[in-house]
Amino acid sequence: MSIGENAPTKNAEILQWVEEVAALTTPDKVEWSDGSKEEWSRLAQLCVDGGSAQWLNSEKRPNSLLFRSVPADVARVEGRTYICSEKEADAGPTNNWCDPVEMKKTLTDISKGCMKGRTMYVIPFAMGPMGGPVTQYGIEISDSPYVVINMQIMARVSLDVYTEIEKKGYVKCVHTVGYPLADGQEDVSWPCNEEKYITHFPSENMIWSFGSGYGGNALLGKKCFALRIASTMAKKEGWMAEHMLILRLTNPEGKNYHVAAAFPSACGKTNLAMLQSTVEGWKVECIGDDIAWMKQGPDGRLYAINPEAGFFGVAPGTSMASNPMALKSLDENCIFTNVALTDDGDVWWEDMDGPVPSHLIDWKGNDWTPESGEKAAHPNARFTAPAAQCPVICPDWEKTEGVPIDVFIFGGRRTSIVPLVHEAFDFAHGAYLGATAASEPTAAALDVKAIRRDPYAMLPFCGYDMGDYMQHWLDMGEKLGDKAPKCFYVNWFRKTAEGKWLWPGFGDNSRVLKWMCERVEGTVGAQETAIGMIPNEGDIDLTGLDVSAEDMAELLKVDTAEWKSELDSVKGHLERFGDTCPKGMMDQYEALKARLG
Ligand code: GTP
Ligand code: SPV
Ligand code: MN
């Protein structure tokens, strides 16, 4: 194959790498993606003509597509995700590890001819605004047109990337669905392989993904690059790559605050990122909904960019009532995966507004009625939407130097024990709250069945030893000193004994954000408890909200006995990291234990 002929770059190293991948995987054709609108439309139509997608009703949802995956490929596969560092210890006890030489051999063996009958696309992309100081570049090779059109929304795909690569280098990403076609063999609508490997080679800045077409397994700029590979770079270079949304809050006087929040997958980042404030005069604008890259600026503060260009959001539960700004981002130019289809050619999912339709085609392609007794949309069904379409996207969301962070929030889903909000005593204590964060299972990680400790919401996304990661947080705190963000821990998910939410959540979470900003200003008090600072009664603005005083007391309750009952599990969690568990974290644990008495 003569790959160089119509290549948009003369970079010999890139050409050689593309040549090597093609020689191994033997696609019928190589196409150099240019990120143009024309290309998006052409590949979208190719997916439709090939039977893997359908256009939605163009009057209701212009230029938007529906894809259905197969039941065996509906979410990230943590059990098949590997960090292939040179030394096993560098991956730490929470990552799957494999020797890089061995993994490359395995992947080389199963990848022989794996793109036969398909087109291999070469996708140049930027993570972050083009040319920015924090921005990085990648090239994803993929045999999936679905991946190309998703990458065009989620990252900045452009031929200009080849110029930037000459200055800044790039991350090599190889992706295949692992479903070659014999001569004359007809394709299936969602090609994938029973065997899956999502592998990372941090010492070479390389990612190799085999066998899945879904989300973070296949859109390699997202979790693989922007978190697993980037976290390793960030540790070396003294910055942070976090699983965090970024938002701007503006108070009635016009003062801005920037918040970055880490919640595990499907625990409310997209919702918080674009919430509609229910507090008079306070405004929220979205900068990012999933990933933050943060570096110390010349003034000593921590500045954050959103490296992505789109939202890959959980569809079920998204409604005008819960997240109107997300819903309005979906009006056109979107890709929907595993949602249900209405009889008039639009999308539907559980907990959408209005009456439940009497008939749908469900995410498996079957007829569905309310009597079916099954979910019409898969719980991890997703939309891919351009961030620029969000009505509350911050005018500074593409500012190349980022925005200064005032507040860090950690959290997760806990039906009991953890109060609505508590504030860390200082940054090191905040780093401990992040290190010991925990959550109940969600559909974003189907192989997780029980409450798990998910440090910084990074457990599935950390590219190195999580103990070293905790130390990195403590180190960043030292470096930032009194310019470090103030840290908080929230839990929107506390329930009554009868199983009803105690807190209305969603837009009303702005009330908690307001309290945090007032804590930053020092204009509101707090009471000290064993676990941190809690709002005084009446300090959270509840104007116009119907939450009883008893419920509020329950939401802010810190039950010492309950917290004591968790100490052993926290200790076990920290001890799991052995030598790399920072002494600073054990000190925090001992201090908490002493405070609990
Ligand atoms: P990933 O994209 O997987 O990283 O998820 P995410 O963290 O962005 O989660 P998302 O905002 O999509 O929320 C996931 C689920 O949590 C949805 O079903 C939401 O309806 C629900 N949720 C979000 N915020 C709240 C809240 O404040 N209260 C309650 N009760 N549910 C919420
Ligand atoms: C998550 O699971 O945190 C996601 C979805 O944001 S995915 O991109 O598939 O990782
Ligand atoms: Mn996420």
Side-chain angles (χ1 to χ4, degrees):
M1 225 174 308
S2 53
I3 279 167
E5 244 165 59
N6 46 14
T9 174
K10 297 211 157 30
N11 183 307
E13 193 268 339
I14 296 175
L15 293 175
Q16 192 196 332
W17 169 59
V18 173
E19 196 101 42
E20 271 169 27
V21 176
L24 172 68
T25 60
T26 67
D28 286 4
K29 214 162 68 177
V30 176
E31 254 186 56
W32 298 84
S33 161
D34 61 11
S36 64
K37 275 209 166 72
E38 178 282 319
E39 176 182 73
W40 195 91
S41 303
R42 181 171 52 83
L43 294 182
Q45 191 59 48
L46 185 79
C47 293
V48 171
D49 294 342
S52 68
Q54 72 181 84
W55 291 109
L56 294 167
N57 182 332
S58 62
E59 268 155 38
K60 294 182 170 287
R61 203 94 36 193
N63 202 34
S64 298
L65 293 164
L66 168 65
F67 283 81
R68 292 187 197 105
S69 80
V70 292
D73 197 21
V74 292
R76 288 181 293 102
V77 280
E78 296 185 7
R80 306 299 303 162
T81 301
Y82 293 84
I83 301 298
C84 305
S85 45
E86 311 290 323
K87 285 192 246 135
E88 182 168 7
D90 290 340
T94 56
N95 280 313
N96 299 311
W97 176 83
C98 181
D99 176 77
V101 175
E102 197 182 311
M103 181 57 87
K104 276 189 206 157
K105 187 176 175 314
T106 304
L107 285 167
T108 303
D109 287 348
I110 54 171
S111 297
K112 283 194 180 109
C114 69
M115 294 191 189
K116 185 177 157 52
R118 300 190 182 280
T119 299
M120 178 176 121
Y121 301 93
V122 185
I123 316 161
F125 64 97
M127 297 308 289
M130 198 64 90
V134 190
T135 298
Q136 301 209 40
Y137 303 92
I139 300 177
E140 176 162 351
I141 292 178
S142 174
D143 56 4
S144 162
Y146 169 81
V147 165
V148 184
I149 58 176
N150 273 276
M151 283 296 285
Q152 276 203 31
I153 298 174
M154 294 306 299
R156 291 161 175 93
V157 177
S158 149
L159 294 178
D160 297 340
V161 166
Y162 290 111
T163 315
E164 297 299 322
I165 281 177
E166 299 301 326
K167 296 175 252 173
K168 278 191 97 166
Y170 71 108
V171 173
K172 283 189 171 78
C173 311
V174 180
H175 168 254
T176 173
V177 293
Y179 194 96
L181 297 166
D183 292 333
Q185 185 186 344
E186 217 183 299
D187 204 356
V188 291
S189 65
W190 185 273
C192 63
N193 195 301
E194 244 174 74
E195 216 171 334
K196 294 177 176 59
Y197 288 94
I198 321 297
T199 71
H200 308 74
F201 301 85
S203 58
E204 297 167 65
N205 287 346
M206 187 178 95
I207 298 156
W208 195 343
S209 167
F210 181 96
S212 167
Y214 206 88
N217 298 337
L219 313 178
L220 302 185
K222 200 173 177 54
K223 298 304 161 67
C224 297
F225 177 170
L227 290 178
R228 298 194 190 95
I229 295 292
S231 63
T232 311
M233 296 174 171
K235 165 86 175 168
K236 262 189 236 143
E237 299 164 8
W239 51 284
M240 305 174 91
E242 298 293 333
H243 191 200
M244 286 180 163
L245 68 95
I246 312 166
L247 65 82
R248 170 182 290 175
L249 202 62
T250 307
N251 75 8
E253 289 75 48
K255 182 162 182 189
N256 289 338
Y257 302 88
H258 296 102
V259 175
F263 309 146
S265 302
C267 290
K269 285 183 300 302
T270 302
N271 275 271
L272 191 67
M274 41 192 100
L275 98 174
Q276 288 284 86
S277 170
T278 56
V279 192
E280 183 90 31
W282 288 71
K283 185 174 80 176
V284 174
E285 290 169 317
C286 172
I287 293 165
D289 83 323
D290 200 49
I291 297 175
W293 283 356
M294 295 174 282
K295 278 189 185 164
Q296 194 172 23
D299 61 358
R301 301 180 71 190
L302 191 63
Y303 283 76
I305 69 157
N306 168 15
E308 300 190 281
F311 308 128
F312 185 65
V314 180
T318 307
S319 67
M320 284 308 282
S322 67
N323 194 354
M325 294 304 122
L327 207 62
K328 287 200 174 139
S329 311
L330 310 182
D331 282 351
E332 54 187 340
N333 312 316
C334 288
I335 300 169
F336 296 88
T337 309
N338 287 345
V339 303
L341 178 71
T342 63
D343 290 347
D344 58 0
D346 201 3
V347 290
W348 192 85
W349 46 75
E350 274 66 24
D351 297 323
M352 219 187 212
D353 312 86
V356 177
S358 56
H359 177 262
L360 294 164
I361 303 295
D362 71 11
W363 71 275
K364 293 178 181 162
N366 299 325
D367 285 302
W368 182 96
T369 66
E371 289 74 48
S372 297
E374 284 183 40
K375 300 236 189 262
H378 186 276
N380 194 42
R382 297 263 170 175
F383 53 77
T384 317
Q389 285 182 193
C390 179
V392 291
I393 197 77
C394 179
D396 286 337
W397 82 282
E398 299 190 278
K399 206 173 172 183
T400 52
E401 67 271 35
V403 295
I405 298 299
D406 300 285
V407 165
F408 273 147
I409 308 178
F410 306 108
R413 265 172 205 270
R414 294 299 303 271
T415 48
S416 61
I417 303 182
V418 181
L420 178 64
V421 58
H422 61 292
E423 178 193 320
F425 297 120
D426 54 29
F427 192 87
H429 182 226
Y432 170 83
L433 296 184
T436 54
S439 195
E440 285 150 24
T442 67
L446 294 167
D447 37 5
V448 176
K449 302 283 183 230
I451 285 190
R452 72 169 175 184
R453 300 273 154 200
D454 187 349
Y456 313 97
M458 282 291 281
L459 190 67
F461 309 121
C462 180
Y464 58 97
D465 186 317
M466 186 58 87
D468 291 331
Y469 200 79
M470 294 174 185
Q471 184 62 52
H472 185 50
W473 266 79
L474 294 171
D475 294 344
M476 287 303 297
E478 291 285 317
K479 198 157 105 172
L480 293 162
D482 63 0
K483 304 255 171 49
K486 219 169 175 35
C487 299
F488 297 85
Y489 196 104
V490 300
N491 178 24
W492 316 135
F493 299 95
R494 201 152 170 172
K495 286 185 174 174
T496 62
E498 295 74 43
K500 151 181 138 358
W501 301 119
L502 275 162
W503 180 247
F506 304 103
D508 287 314
N509 293 336
S510 55
R511 299 166 189 277
V512 178
L513 296 183
K514 179 189 172 194
W515 180 75
M516 292 173 182
C517 294
E518 290 168 344
R519 288 295 295 161
V520 169
E521 291 298 342
T523 54
V524 73
Q527 48 180 305
E528 191 169 336
T529 74
I531 64 164
M533 308 297 289
I534 304 278
N536 287 310
E537 199 188 320
D539 275 350
I540 292 192
D541 187 343
L542 299 176
T543 316
L545 186 67
D546 191 19
V547 175
S548 70
E550 300 83 76
D551 279 0
M552 215 47 219
E554 180 66 20
L555 277 162
L556 292 174
K557 188 179 78 181
V558 178
D559 183 316
T560 325
E562 283 176 346
W563 279 87
K564 273 190 189 167
S565 75
E566 296 236 316
L567 280 173
D568 281 350
S569 103
V570 175
K571 188 156 190 246
H573 162 63
L574 292 174
E575 281 175 344
R576 194 172 167 202
F577 301 100
D579 288 351
T580 66
C581 172
K583 178 173 176 307
M585 286 298 163
M586 273 304 181
D587 292 348
Q588 289 288 338
Y589 167 80
E590 292 299 342
L592 170 66
K593 193 173 165 189
R595 288 194 303 267
L596 287 168

